[in-house]
Amino acid sequence: MTSMATTLDPTAFGFLSAFVRQRSAIVLDAQKSYLIESRLTPIVRARGLASLEHLVNELKKPNTAQLAQEVVEAMTTNETSFFRDMHPFNAMKSHILPELIGKRARERKLTIWSNACSSGQEPYTIAMLLRENFPEVAGWNLKIIATDICTKVLEKAKSGEFNQTEVNRGLPMSLLLKYFTREGMKWIIKDELRNMIDFRLLNLVQPWTGIPPVDIVFLRNVLIYFDVETKQQILCKVHRSLQDDGVLFLGGAESTLGLNTDFSREQLGLATCYRRSKSVKPN
């Protein structure tokens, strides 16, 4: 059996990095050549191509939407876990949700948006947090919208199926036993949580459709992959989507500083969040 050539020449790297950036805004500089090789080589093998250069040739052909989606999804990082970086969830429990629930008591409506939700651990964490600590919203018009650019991880998130390693990462045993059932080597999340979440395919750098005004936005560990202009555009759209008293959570290494002046930073315990600093109603 002949071995497949996978070394990426500069021309192919230039095309692939531009291709991924155009479709997802993910920035891949020359130092990320190894990343392109390692993540796209399985696609090359699965399609029986001889090299990454042949993959480039296929992408240049018309009617390659499925292949294009495979390439973009392969270059997307899907690192996640239950109760990841606990501080935002502690702030939700102690400060933000009690405040918003009090303000929304008359309309009984609350909307939370988990961006780049990957295989679903973040929105399921939010659902468990609400179930465990705020039973008064059980009869509300409660929406947890979970979006991602990757169809494969969204299908996994919708299935609610997790292996032992995944549930061991951040999920307390008491919640595992309460909200999951075991089937063989898998843990399946119960319908009472799964039915709380609306999973949707969404590309942050394309037009957002069907997103209502939101009370809480999770956009954690996403902006780090984009250039400054794209970060500014996304934050501007988040600002328009947030309710006047809404809250934005970014990743620990992310900030609106130098990107958007319409947010004000707020410290809640060990968590940092951002609020709208201008009274502009969402569209």
Side-chain angles (χ1 to χ4, degrees):
M1 180 182 292
T2 58
S3 60
M4 180 192 63
T6 59
T7 303
L8 192 60
D9 69 36
T11 301
F13 169 79
F15 174 87
L16 288 169
S17 61
F19 185 89
V20 171
R21 184 168 185 170
Q22 181 184 18
R23 284 159 178 76
S24 69
I26 296 173
V27 178
L28 298 166
D29 57 32
Q31 296 178 339
K32 297 292 180 65
S33 177
Y34 74 93
L35 192 62
I36 290 181
E37 289 190 35
S38 64
R39 294 193 179 183
L40 298 189
T41 294
I43 296 177
V44 173
R45 290 197 178 104
R47 288 181 170 262
L49 301 174
S51 67
L52 287 163
E53 284 70 30
H54 283 81
L55 175 64
V56 168
N57 292 337
E58 290 297 309
L59 288 170
K60 291 179 179 178
K61 295 178 180 179
N63 304 318
T64 57
Q66 179 59 41
L67 179 58
Q69 181 68 15
E70 289 180 31
V71 168
V72 170
E73 291 189 7
M75 296 309 304
T76 303
T77 301
N78 293 308
E79 172 64 22
T80 188
S81 62
F82 291 100
F83 292 94
R84 183 182 183 186
D85 307 326
M86 270 298 298
H87 305 315
F89 301 109
N90 289 336
M92 287 259 290
K93 176 182 175 181
S94 300
H95 302 282
I96 294 167
L97 282 171
E99 171 193 327
L100 287 174
I101 289 171
K103 291 181 176 180
R104 306 290 191 267
R106 177 170 295 182
E107 59 182 316
R108 295 166 60 85
K109 182 178 180 181
L110 193 66
T111 303
I112 302 172
W113 183 9
S114 169
N115 285 275
C117 69
S118 188
S119 46
Q121 283 90 325
E122 182 174 86
Y124 285 131
T125 295
I126 295 168
M128 283 185 276
L129 180 71
L130 287 163
R131 285 282 189 180
E132 286 294 294
N133 300 283
F134 303 97
E136 63 268 34
V137 302
W140 285 30
N141 180 1
L142 177 64
K143 293 182 181 179
I144 302 175
I145 301 170
T147 61
D148 200 277
I149 192 176
C150 182
T151 55
K152 289 182 180 179
V153 296
L154 275 177
E155 286 304 313
K156 174 176 171 56
K158 290 177 184 179
S159 76
E161 297 183 3
F162 299 93
N163 60 35
Q164 190 66 51
T165 300
E166 290 168 330
V167 298
N168 284 345
R169 295 189 63 198
L171 185 62
M173 180 60 69
S174 60
L175 297 183
L176 174 63
L177 297 177
K178 184 173 182 178
Y179 292 109
F180 292 74
T181 56
R182 188 164 191 171
E183 295 184 8
M185 301 300 292
K186 294 181 179 180
W187 290 89
I188 315 298
I189 203 156
K190 293 182 178 179
D191 286 344
E192 65 179 284
L193 290 189
R194 184 162 29 197
N195 293 339
M196 293 173 66
I197 302 168
D198 178 9
F199 289 102
R200 304 181 188 180
L201 186 68
L202 184 137
N203 187 331
L204 285 171
V205 300
Q206 293 179 357
W208 299 354
T209 57
I211 301 297
V214 183
D215 298 292
I216 302 171
V217 174
F218 279 74
L219 185 69
R220 301 196 298 160
N221 307 303
V222 181
L223 296 181
I224 54 175
Y225 297 105
F226 303 137
D227 60 26
V228 169
E229 182 179 358
T230 303
K231 292 176 183 179
Q232 291 172 332
Q233 292 172 353
I234 292 173
L235 285 172
C236 184
K237 290 196 286 186
V238 169
H239 186 269
R240 291 198 299 267
S241 298
L242 265 181
Q243 297 276 19
D244 285 346
D245 54 358
V247 176
L248 165 67
F249 283 107
L250 300 177
E254 298 168 324
S255 171
T256 64
L257 185 65
L259 298 172
N260 190 300
T261 59
D262 293 336
F263 286 99
S264 58
R265 182 178 181 274
E266 182 174 335
Q267 195 72 29
L268 296 174
L270 297 176
T272 300
C273 66
Y274 299 85
R275 296 184 186 265
R276 291 163 56 96
S277 56
K278 292 184 179 180
S279 181
V280 179
K281 295 183 179 180
N283 295 332

